Amino acid sequence: MNDVFDTEAFLRTSAEAAKEENFLIIVERLCKKIDVVKRVYCFYSKDILRKQTDKEIEGESYTLLLNLLTSLAKEFSDYKYLNSALKLNDILSEKGVLESSEGRSQIDKLEEIMKSIYDNKIGAEF
Amino acid sequence: MKKIKLTILYVDSVPSRIYLALLNKHGYEPEKILFLKFESKSSKYKLLKKCVGRSFANKIFQSVKEVRARLRKRKSSNTLTEKLLLKFGLLPTDIKPCSDVYANRIIEKLYIHSLDDSRLQHHIENSKEKTYLFTGGGILKERILSTPGTKFIHIHPGIVPEIKGADCFYWSWLLMGVAGYSVFYMNAGIDTGDVIYKKEFKPRFDGVESTCKPDQLYRAILQFYDPCLRILTFIELLNKYLENTPQDIEGFDFRTFNNVKQDPNAGRTYFFMHKVLRNFVLNKLTSVK
């Protein structure tokens, strides 16, 4: 299936995929799925604009996506990835993919990243 | 009063009323106000309309809506509203329905179900008015935006193309430390239209209680503060036109502002902020001196 985007394969191999030119474009498109649709499906069209199945990715893949967004938020000091990670955390807590303690712990981690981004940016400005 | 060849696409809301209040305060009168009255699709409304006619049925539904809104408003802070409006020389009593701001002769009512209603499209296609100022109320679809010879102007709360999408007042402050506004001719893309004007403000919330609930503050800023900055950006554009151009603004065709095309792939589209991030931004916003 070369003419579709395989979400789970992408997430499993994201460390390698990060070297590709279009990696962040793919991440941006997945952010939109979280923010707008609140679901991520297994297969999309090649440009990740249209879903090609009604099957959502598995809990393990959702967790990989959450970890990916969290690490990108930290690496790039990026509030947009942080915002999507916060929303995905809520979705996974509701779905039961994350237990409530895991969900809370993830929020604490994301809040630390949020404050760190802000403090570093303010420091840089002044 | 300077008459301008612009039609306000008016959906009755606080932001729309603020647009009119400040345009009026700064001496501008639109050519027309196209007052979009949303008809309910409910069976109760249809029955009522059959019994007492559309106008009376709408009045009843509108009254019910206003009572509900007043009950909700009692829970929110009137002091906060006053403080936000005072920053722009406005009082809550200045925020009036369009018929209390401008003469009825320039107001035309149009009953529709939504902005997607073919009655709106039909009206715009057959209207002699050619430039509309969008004041909210939904999303205008491409078939309306592409009406030949017609332009729709929008004031977006973010500097484009860098900041597009939703909650842009807050994204703008978080990312750039300013409230940025872009005036553009709308197209079918999200905030990708041809840019006419941009302006930045330093938002100041001194005097605004940081003890009010974050949700309250979030809504109040979007309802009362942000619309003021939006329309002031547009008013500045009009004032600059007046200063720089010998042609009288009353004859100016608003479809012909100098504009710059955007690269639709440039910049980023942001989404509604998660509550955690939003509350963080509100806290920082209100602590800036």
Side-chain angles (χ1 to χ4, degrees), chain B residues 109-166:
Chain B
K109 290 177 192 169
L110 182 69
Y111 289 92
I112 55 174
H113 290 308
S114 69
L115 292 185
D116 208 16
D117 196 316
S118 58
R119 287 176 285 186
L120 176 59
Q121 184 176 358
H122 181 80
H123 179 95
I124 287 170
E125 279 170 357
N126 293 291
S127 172
K128 62 175 171 58
E129 286 82 36
K130 294 297 172 196
T131 322
Y132 295 83
L133 180 65
F134 179 69
T135 66
I139 293 177
L140 284 173
K141 294 281 168 71
E142 186 173 8
R143 59 173 176 271
I144 289 185
L145 292 173
S146 55
T147 304
T150 303
K151 295 270 195 199
F152 295 83
I153 295 174
H154 177 48
I155 313 156
H156 169 70
I159 299 292
V160 295
E162 287 79 12
I163 300 179
K164 298 181 281 197

Side-chain angles (χ1 to χ4, degrees), chain A residues 12-25:
Chain A
R12 278 195 304 272
T13 59
S14 62
E16 278 306 303
K19 298 169 190 170
E20 301 292 319
E21 245 182 68
N22 63 348
F23 175 71
L24 290 180
I25 295 173

Side-chain angles (χ1 to χ4, degrees), chain A residues 8 10-14 58-70 88 92:
Chain A
E8 292 189 304
F10 170 82
L11 290 168
R12 278 195 304 272
T13 59
S14 62
E58 296 292 335
E60 193 184 313
S61 298
Y62 268 123
T63 308
L64 285 174
L65 180 54
L66 176 59
N67 292 339
L68 174 63
L69 290 171
T70 304
L88 183 55
L92 299 190

Side-chain angles (χ1 to χ4, degrees), chain B residues 8 10 29 68 153-154 189 195:
Chain B
I8 309 295
Y10 180 86
E29 180 181 297
R68 282 187 187 149
I153 295 174
H154 177 48
V195 180

Side-chain angles (χ1 to χ4, degrees), chain B residues 24 35 39 49 64 81 92 120-121 124 134 163 179 201 204 218 242 275:
Chain B
N24 187 263
F35 189 164
E39 280 187 314
K49 187 170 118 178
V64 168
T81 304
L120 176 59
Q121 184 176 358
I124 287 170
F134 179 69
I163 300 179
F201 299 86
R204 293 288 302 272
Y218 167 76
L242 268 178
K275 208 165 184 173

Side-chain angles (χ1 to χ4, degrees), chain A residues 28 35 78 80 83 87 90, chain B residues 268-269 271-274:
Chain A
E28 291 278 320
D35 280 86
D78 192 291
K80 184 176 171 178
N83 195 50
K87 290 183 181 180
D90 287 352
Chain B
R268 261 178 134 180
T269 299
F271 304 107
F272 288 107
M273 277 190 176
H274 186 277

